[in-house]
Amino acid sequence: IGLGVAASLAGACLELFGAVTSFDHVAHYAESAAGIVILTLLGQVLEIRARERTSSAIRTLMGLAPNTARLRLPDGREEDVPLELVQPGDILRVRPGEKVPVDGLVTEGRSDVDESMLTGEPMPAAKEAGDKVIGATVNGSGTFLMRAERVANDTVLAQIVRLVGEAQRSRAPVQQLVDKVARYFVPAVILASILTFGAWLSVTHDLTLALTNAISVVVIACPCALGLATPMALMVGIGRAARGGILIRNAESLETLAKADTLVVDKTGTLTIGKPTVESVQPADEFTADDLLRLAASVERGSEHPLAAAVVRAAQAKRLPLSEVRDFKSTAGKGVSGVVDEKSVLAGTALFLAENSVTADGNGILVAIDGKFAGAIGVADVIRPTTADAIRRLHADGMRIVMATGDRRTAAEQIAKQLGIDEVHAEVLPQDKLAIVLRLQGEGRIVAMAGDGINDAPALAAANIGIALATGTDVAMESAGITLMRGDLHGIAEARSVSRLTLRTIRQNLLLAFGYNVVSIPAAALGLLNPMWAAAAMSLSSLSVVGNSLRLMALRKTSERP
């Protein structure tokens, strides 16, 4: 554009100072220079207005947070304070219909909370003492007190905004092709312009016509469309996915997910609800059921595993007094240990107890106290209502489903049979899950790994694309390329749909950009367009790419079921 305007002005100056005597030619060059600038700026104004729509996802997310919080003071009074004054540990009241101000833990009361703006889940989630709540979600008809845990830039909402922004600015592997083309684009266009000038001048001996056509070649060439083709589609696609509760870390993750052909999944919390319940407590001869449950729950309080949480809930339901634990240690995939009331307590698998010189047999969580087998706690989990349909969708999409779980083989095989899972690996450790992923990759498969726990982190990091459930641990989410805010495998199918639509849009944009230049540059070289029309065509080419990208926003929402 700069070269075209400069050439037009140079032509006007040559005419004006006598290179050619016709004043009409001066006006022609001058109006071309002005027209190029006006039409280019008009195109950029329209383009900027359209591009602003692509950042609507971030603006929408930022607008979710409330401005104030209801703070309970030490003397029992309550007052509204600006959200930025809330500190971790503060006790806040959330009244009916209000937004939850920050991330935290319910300490008193109960209610149903609408989390759809972050998770895409339409049904409100029941919350009571001990449950986590996420900032910016909407409270229902109940009221509750909560303890602030994450505030300001540490909240889930703030992390989502930051993640979406970084992902929208990331570069997809397909962009490398565009970069290679762009590197040679401008020199090639300048060469084409020079050749056009020389050809027209040698054939017609008309300096004005030769210069006009050369200027048209420079002006009509549009590297802008090539530059916009990939980032515009990514901004729209990633932003739209975020509104559906699918957080994509970067453009490479988006592209890899579309190519994945194998999905490795954990069981607890991924295929199942992840909130198991204690079904039985079977103490050994020297122990009572209450003692077994109380000591096991005391040591399990330090674990993040859903099975541990089930034991703690069962002890609390029986109002058993839990004791503090010291020397706590968690061994991923095996169990936990610690000292409770001066007793050494182990809780975990038979292998874990055997490694600590305790012989044990049974199902569920096995417990040893002071080196003696104390009994077993039977824990059961239920399959998520949406899991079977989600696996059918993934199978229909050509994915092989592999289960890798630390749970007992009988329980794993029973669930796999119900769901139609292709391959089952049970009683595996974190390093075993990693080995499974590496083996599948060695077979030439593109592996996606979905999990929610610390024991899934190594496999999530090693997989071609890791998918974490936000209902799980921070470690899992840090290791993954995609995070599903809703603990539901449907999110994987929806994420694949978004990734494929986005990549298809990128290819369409590149076709538009390349096709435009392939057609328009020869047309300008042949004298079919004057510089002003060339400027208008150049602006329209950029707008066509922007408009095609914005079509992603009008397609069916990602949260809809097929």
Side-chain angles (χ1 to χ4, degrees):
I1 294 166
L3 286 170
V5 172
S8 296
L9 290 174
C13 291
L14 286 173
E15 298 282 4
L16 186 62
F17 291 109
V20 180
T21 56
S22 173
F23 184 77
D24 289 340
H25 291 164
V26 178
H28 176 74
Y29 284 124
E31 73 180 12
S32 292
I36 291 169
V37 173
I38 290 170
L39 289 168
T40 300
L41 290 176
L42 175 61
Q44 287 185 343
V45 168
L46 294 173
E47 180 186 315
I48 289 169
R49 290 184 62 182
R51 290 183 71 176
E52 283 179 349
R53 291 180 60 192
T54 66
S55 59
S56 62
I58 290 182
R59 289 200 302 273
T60 300
L61 288 169
M62 292 177 68
L64 292 176
N67 297 318
T68 61
R70 184 88 176 161
L71 177 66
R72 170 168 281 195
L73 301 174
D75 60 6
R77 293 185 299 110
E78 296 179 358
E79 66 176 29
D80 292 328
V81 298
L83 192 63
E84 56 268 21
L85 296 182
V86 175
Q87 299 295 321
D90 285 347
I91 301 299
L92 309 173
R93 179 175 293 280
V94 183
R95 293 170 291 189
E98 289 184 334
K99 290 183 177 181
V100 176
V102 295
D103 299 356
L105 203 68
V106 177
T107 59
E108 182 182 320
R110 72 173 313 280
S111 186
D112 292 325
V113 178
D114 180 359
E115 299 179 335
S116 59
M117 68 283 296
L118 292 181
T119 66
E121 177 59 60
M123 295 299 295
K127 302 292 182 181
E128 57 187 20
D131 288 335
K132 292 182 179 180
V133 285
I134 304 172
T137 54
V138 181
N139 184 28
S141 57
T143 183
F144 58 86
L145 293 176
M146 62 172 288
R147 181 175 66 249
E149 293 186 337
R150 294 184 177 183
V151 303
N153 292 330
D154 293 329
T155 64
V156 168
L157 179 62
Q159 292 173 5
I160 290 172
V161 171
R162 184 165 59 250
L163 183 63
V164 172
E166 291 173 355
Q168 288 182 331
R169 293 189 296 272
S170 64
R171 297 167 66 82
V174 71
Q175 183 71 24
Q176 295 174 3
L177 170 64
V178 179
D179 292 343
K180 289 178 182 178
V181 172
R183 190 176 304 144
Y184 301 105
F185 187 84
V186 172
V189 169
I190 294 174
L191 178 61
S193 178
I194 293 171
L195 292 175
T196 299
F197 177 79
W200 278 97
L201 186 62
S202 63
V203 172
T204 65
H205 305 290
D206 187 333
L207 177 64
T208 300
L209 184 59
L211 189 57
T212 298
N213 291 337
I215 292 170
S216 295
V217 169
V218 172
V219 172
I220 203 166
C222 190
C224 306
L226 283 174
L228 288 170
T230 299
M232 280 299 301
L234 287 175
M235 289 179 71
V236 178
I238 290 172
R240 179 184 153 176
R243 290 197 298 273
I246 302 166
L247 304 185
I248 300 169
R249 185 176 293 276
N250 51 45
E252 185 176 358
S253 298
L254 187 81
E255 190 167 333
T256 304
L257 180 62
K259 300 175 181 177
D261 55 25
T262 303
L263 175 64
V264 179
V265 293
D266 181 36
K267 181 179 75 68
T268 305
T270 305
L271 300 177
T272 61
I273 290 176
K275 200 170 184 179
T277 57
V278 171
E279 290 191 330
S280 64
V281 179
Q282 299 171 328
D285 293 339
E286 300 178 25
F287 303 91
T288 67
D290 283 355
D291 282 342
L292 176 65
L293 183 59
R294 184 183 71 81
L295 291 171
S298 295
V299 74
E300 291 281 21
R301 273 200 301 183
S303 173
E304 49 75 37
H305 199 280
L307 297 181
V311 175
V312 173
R313 285 195 300 271
Q316 291 172 337
K318 298 188 72 173
R319 300 186 182 278
L320 299 177
L322 303 186
S323 302
E324 293 298 319
V325 61
R326 60 182 175 84
D327 299 333
F328 174 81
K329 183 180 179 181
S330 175
T331 304
K334 294 183 180 180
V336 295
S337 62
V339 178
V340 180
D341 296 340
E342 302 307 319
K343 293 181 173 66
S344 175
V345 181
L346 303 172
T349 64
L351 176 62
F352 180 60
L353 268 62
E355 289 177 351
N356 288 273
S357 303
V358 178
T359 302
D361 188 23
N363 294 324
I365 298 174
L366 306 182
V367 182
I369 299 173
D370 286 336
K372 294 181 180 180
F373 177 61
I377 300 175
V379 181
D381 199 358
V382 295
I383 297 174
R384 291 181 184 274
T386 57
T387 297
D389 184 48
I391 288 179
R392 279 194 293 271
R393 285 184 67 184
L394 292 167
H395 273 147
D397 200 26
M399 292 201 80
R400 178 176 177 82
I401 311 297
V402 178
M403 180 200 293
T405 177
D407 202 354
R408 291 171 295 113
R409 179 165 298 279
T410 53
E413 289 179 346
Q414 182 181 1
I415 287 178
K417 185 177 180 180
Q418 287 180 255
L419 297 174
I421 290 174
D422 303 298
E423 186 178 328
V424 182
H425 299 274
E427 300 176 10
V428 297
L429 301 175
Q431 58 267 32
D432 298 324
K433 292 184 180 182
L434 174 60
I436 291 167
V437 169
L438 295 176
R439 175 182 61 79
L440 290 168
Q441 289 173 329
E443 295 172 0
R445 294 186 172 274
I446 300 175
V447 181
M449 167 71 192
D452 67 344
I454 291 174
N455 59 333
D456 299 318
L460 286 169
N464 298 90
I465 177 68
I467 304 169
L469 278 64
T471 50
T473 63
D474 292 342
V475 175
M477 286 183 276
E478 285 297 320
S479 304
I482 292 177
T483 299
L484 306 179
M485 296 304 297
R486 183 175 64 213
D488 184 343
L489 285 187
H490 270 298
I492 298 176
E494 291 160 6
R496 278 169 66 84
S497 175
V498 170
S499 66
R500 286 177 173 172
L501 286 172
T502 303
L503 291 175
R504 186 175 70 187
T505 302
I506 289 174
R507 288 191 290 268
Q508 291 170 347
N509 287 349
L510 290 173
L511 183 62
L512 284 170
F514 280 117
Y516 162 81
N517 285 295
V518 167
V519 172
S520 63
I521 292 176
L526 292 171
L528 301 179
L529 294 167
N530 66 39
M532 281 191 293
W533 283 112
M538 183 275 300
S539 297
L540 287 173
S541 71
S542 295
L543 289 173
S544 69
V545 169
V546 174
N548 189 54
S549 298
L550 291 176
R551 288 191 314 114
L552 280 170
M553 300 176 68
L555 295 173
R556 188 177 62 182
K557 294 181 180 178
T558 60
S559 60
E560 291 178 357
R561 300 286 185 261

